[in-house]
Amino acid sequence: MLSETIQRRRSCRNFEKRLVDPAVLKVLLEGALLAPTSRNLKPCHFILVEDPVILERLSGSKAVGSAFLKDAPAGLVLLADPERSDVWVEDCANTAAYVQLLAEELGLGSCWIQIRLRFADREAAVPSAQVVREALAIPESLEPAVIVALGYPAKNREPQERKTLMWDRVYRDRFGNREE
């Protein structure tokens, strides 16, 4: 059930040292291609990375929050064509969420690595997108948005507990009307 998958899904930064089954990756890519986008314009492009050398290079794409990618067996880079859709950011975010939920359903762990508007080096202000673009020979017409690290989790994490849900942020009909 989808609600159970949502509850189970947790960010995974530690992966087993084994490759992801190609049949599982194909199902995951099909899910990415099926994800809904605004007006069905489908601005997203995908690069599946399994080469450890490239994954290590991509692991340096952010000053903080991407280092674990070097130990992941796979990463899915989501790119967008801004000329195709003015809401490509939302489309990529939605697609990445679909990928992560499907990964959970397929027995994989995943973790979102934000690329858009992030920096590889805080002092030199090198944009993360530039590092990803150079590592993967991405044309200037496409924007690197996010990388989803993928692999079999090295450890199982407990599902999120319902008691931690912030019901105080839920309103009915208008802001301020508390959900009872």
Side-chain angles (χ1 to χ4, degrees):
M1 196 168 205
L2 182 58
S3 62
E4 293 168 358
T5 301
I6 290 169
Q7 187 179 4
R8 276 193 325 267
R9 202 221 65 80
R10 303 290 300 268
S11 291
C12 177
R13 294 175 182 86
N14 297 297
F15 302 96
E16 289 182 3
K17 301 240 183 266
R18 67 174 164 136
L19 298 177
V20 178
D21 182 323
V24 170
L25 289 173
K26 182 169 185 190
V27 171
L28 195 71
L29 291 169
E30 287 174 352
L33 292 166
L34 287 168
T37 62
S38 177
R39 297 177 291 159
N40 202 31
L41 291 175
K42 304 288 186 187
C44 301
H45 293 248
F46 309 93
I47 301 175
L48 177 63
V49 180
E50 295 179 276
D51 182 323
V53 173
I54 298 173
L55 288 167
E56 182 157 1
R57 187 166 175 198
L58 292 173
S59 75
S61 61
K62 286 179 57 176
V64 177
S66 63
F68 62 89
L69 188 58
K70 71 180 181 300
D71 296 320
L76 185 62
V77 180
L78 281 75
L79 314 168
D81 181 350
E83 294 297 315
R84 190 156 180 85
S85 174
D86 62 337
V87 292
W88 63 269
V89 173
E90 293 85 349
D91 288 340
C92 279
N94 189 55
T95 300
Y98 267 62
V99 166
Q100 288 194 277
L101 289 173
L102 185 54
E104 179 66 35
E105 192 70 20
L106 294 168
L108 297 176
S110 68
C111 190
W112 172 296
I113 301 170
Q114 178 70 26
I115 297 301
R116 183 179 166 273
L117 301 179
R118 296 299 182 258
F119 293 90
D121 181 341
R122 289 184 177 155
E123 284 123 32
V126 175
S128 297
Q130 179 180 329
V131 174
V132 174
R133 186 181 303 286
E134 290 171 1
L136 302 175
I138 297 167
E140 289 294 324
S141 61
L142 298 178
E143 291 293 330
V146 63
I147 302 172
V148 179
L150 298 162
Y152 298 102
K155 61 180 178 180
N156 288 324
R157 294 184 63 190
E158 292 298 315
Q160 296 184 55
E161 295 184 26
R162 283 185 161 64
K163 68 181 180 182
T164 64
L165 297 177
M166 295 182 232
W167 286 103
D168 62 327
R169 296 184 182 195
V170 177
Y171 310 98
R172 186 169 300 266
D173 295 326
R174 68 183 72 178
F175 190 85
N177 285 350
R178 294 280 178 213
E179 177 68 29
E180 298 294 328

